[in-house]
Amino acid sequence: MVTVEATIVGGGITGCAVADAAARAGFEVVLLEKEARLGAGVTSRNSEVAHGGMYYPPGSIKADCCVRGRRLLKVFCAEAGVAYRECGKLIVAVDDDEAERLDPILARGLANGVEDFNRLDADQLLAMEPDVKAVAGLWSPRTGIVDAEGAARAYADRAAEHGALLMTGTEVTALERRDGAWLVTARRGDETWTHASTHLVLCGGLHADDLVAMTGLDVDAEGLRQTWVKGNYFSIDPRHAGRVNRLVYPVPPRAKDTLGVHVCLDLGGQMRLGPDFEPVVRGVEDYAVDPLRLTPFYEGAVRFLPWLEPEDLNPVMSGIRPKLEFPGPFADFRIRRYDGEREGLVALTGIDSPGLTSSPAVGALVADVLGGGIPPAPLDVGGEA
Ligand SMILES: Cc1cc2nc3c(=O)[nH]c(=O)nc-3n(C[C@H](O)[C@H](O)[C@H](O)COP(=O)(O)OP(=O)(O)OC[C@H]3O[C@@H](n4cnc5c(N)ncnc54)[C@H](O)[C@@H]3O)c2cc1C
């Protein structure tokens, strides 16, 4: 039986970044992706924002990997010729109550190391974005937008340059630990094979917990069960293109693991609103956007875009987030290394936003773990949930 050093399951931005980092660290890497192309999963359906990193609790994996990841992503995209635009982001308060809630976000961002993050008054906001109504705001000039699938492909290309074998259209169907190695069974068309692997890295996005279950672990007992939460988007009529030139977010709604409906820009400058927060049945990948969701989108956005009319909005796309079930208001990425009878296994679950932004930092972290390096504190690797 063929034996490889590291098998990575899942060719989204996370798996591709891990493959890139591991191959550059000298590992013999095989990446297996069930879809016909890389980056076709969650990576192809999101806001494509390279986030600043101001929302996550200091010390969390998300805070650390988002802030480091954005810096690395920007440099990588410049080198690899992947589209990336540092358009900046405003978080706007529409009344005094919201204005007070900006301070903790600013403090958290500064604690996390978000660069050049600062507070603006109403006049400064008006000068920057005359068509946005706000009494105060926060400005993150380093936040950007990026071609997510392009970045995934570029990581994969660099991994291949360093010897990685990347196989699309290849579904992993069984994982078994035997005689000190992981046996990986995969199917590609009519062909099925099993190879042995010293290390096994699971980057399965929405199906990450299914892959964990294949290893024989009890997903619920491990705290790795994912729920699915859809995020819908509505486009803003192109006749308004150019009216807003930065990403514009509201003050996040209280007690919800979402940033609130915000203005996203695509790389062509078109505006859309989203994503919202719609829990959906796990396993049902239905990306149709219900037009009846228009009202909350309109009501959320018209607070800071007073010129918006309901007729300006059209359902445009959606994505589904893999969210870990968690008791509190914040769920971190879970990057778990196993020892003992599952030695060599690294399982990544709950890679929701800012997974795109964090990808190069997560890749470097996993390569470090594979190499036996001690990951920098306070990353939750190998510990309890
Ligand atoms: C609505 C929405 C908005 C978002 N906005 C942002 C944002 O603005 N900025 C940001 O940083 N992040 C954002 N995110 C999060 C970001 O998109 C994800 O964290 C990231 O794309 C996850 O990448 P991934 O590689 O982990 O998962 P995926 O891209 O889903 O990749 C996992 C891959 O594993 C493959 N796979 C699964 N099972 C198997 C198997 N058995 N065999 C072989 N292959 C398998 C799948 O086919 C898939 O391609 C957003 C997410 C959503 C849903």
Side-chain angles (χ1 to χ4, degrees), residues 9-15 32-35 37 39-51 170-173 203-208 211 214 229-233 249 275 318-322 333 351-358:
V9 187
I13 191 100
T14 309
L32 307 175
E33 165 55 51
K34 69 180 166 65
E35 299 299 333
R37 68 175 209 277
V42 184
T43 300
S44 67
R45 296 176 162 276
N46 59 69
S47 305
E48 299 196 303
V49 174
H51 283 298
T170 306
E171 180 174 9
V172 169
T173 55
C203 304
L206 291 171
H207 300 283
L211 291 169
M214 280 187 203
V229 179
K230 192 168 168 182
N232 300 283
Y233 295 82
Y249 287 58
S318 71
I320 300 177
R321 313 163 175 97
F333 295 153
I351 311 295
D352 59 348
S353 191
L356 160 61
T357 313
S358 305

Side-chain angles (χ1 to χ4, degrees), residues 36-330:
R37 68 175 209 277
L38 298 170
V42 184
T43 300
S44 67
R45 296 176 162 276
N46 59 69
S47 305
E48 299 196 303
V49 174
H51 283 298
M54 64 284 286
Y55 296 112
Y56 319 110
S60 60
I61 305 179
K62 283 186 177 176
D64 183 70
C65 286
C66 181
V67 172
R68 284 193 299 128
R70 192 197 46 70
R71 291 180 201 139
L72 293 168
L73 185 63
K74 179 181 165 189
V75 172
F76 173 68
C77 288
E79 285 172 2
V82 175
Y84 185 105
R85 190 155 74 84
E86 207 169 63
C87 55
K89 155 177 167 168
L90 292 166
I91 304 173
V92 295
V94 297
D95 57 32
D96 291 345
D97 173 53
E98 287 191 0
E100 275 180 29
R101 284 158 58 201
L102 293 173
D103 288 333
I105 302 172
L106 180 61
R108 190 172 266 198
L110 295 177
N112 287 347
V114 178
E115 302 102 322
D116 307 324
F117 191 35
N118 59 82
R119 190 172 174 124
L120 303 179
D121 62 25
D123 290 339
Q124 290 169 308
L125 284 161
L126 191 67
M128 285 171 83
E129 291 288 356
D131 283 343
V132 174
K133 184 185 133 200
V135 300
L138 299 176
W139 169 230
S140 168
R142 302 288 150 245
T143 299
I145 45 178
V146 59
D147 171 3
E149 280 190 69
R153 282 194 304 273
Y155 286 135
D157 288 346
R158 191 164 68 174
E161 282 166 21
H162 288 81
L165 175 64
L166 310 159
M167 300 183 72
T168 53
T170 306
E171 180 174 9
V172 169
T173 55
L175 298 167
E176 186 191 346
R177 178 87 183 158
R178 201 191 299 164
D179 300 332
W182 284 98
L183 301 190
V184 179
T185 301
R187 179 176 56 213
R188 190 185 205 199
D190 297 335
E191 192 191 357
T192 297
W193 73 89
T194 300
H195 71 257
S197 188
T198 310
H199 300 281
L200 173 64
V201 186
L202 307 181
C203 304
L206 291 171
H207 300 283
D209 47 358
D210 298 332
L211 291 169
V212 170
M214 280 187 203
T215 69
L217 282 163
D218 180 333
V219 171
D220 294 305
E222 294 290 314
L224 303 182
R225 175 74 63 203
Q226 297 182 152
T227 56
W228 288 14
V229 179
K230 192 168 168 182
N232 300 283
Y233 295 82
F234 281 72
S235 63
I236 298 182
D237 194 297
R239 75 193 162 90
H240 294 300
R243 276 187 98 151
V244 175
N245 294 297
R246 296 161 180 89
L247 305 168
V248 183
Y249 287 58
V251 175
R254 294 181 201 270
K256 260 196 174 178
D257 187 27
T258 159
L259 305 181
V261 166
H262 50 264
V263 178
C264 306
L265 298 175
D266 66 20
L267 285 156
Q270 292 294 328
M271 284 185 282
R272 56 188 169 155
L273 297 175
D276 63 356
F277 193 87
E278 179 190 1
V280 292
V281 177
R282 203 181 171 286
V284 180
E285 286 191 50
D286 177 1
Y287 293 106
V289 180
D290 180 355
L292 294 177
R293 301 185 79 81
L294 185 145
T295 303
F297 271 84
Y298 170 72
E299 289 175 350
V302 77
R303 297 165 67 247
F304 57 93
L305 302 179
W307 41 267
L308 199 67
E309 303 286 345
E311 299 72 41
D312 289 328
L313 303 183
N314 280 299
V316 62
M317 64 162 273
S318 71
I320 300 177
R321 313 163 175 97
K323 286 212 171 274
L324 287 169
E325 290 176 354
F326 61 101
F330 174 75

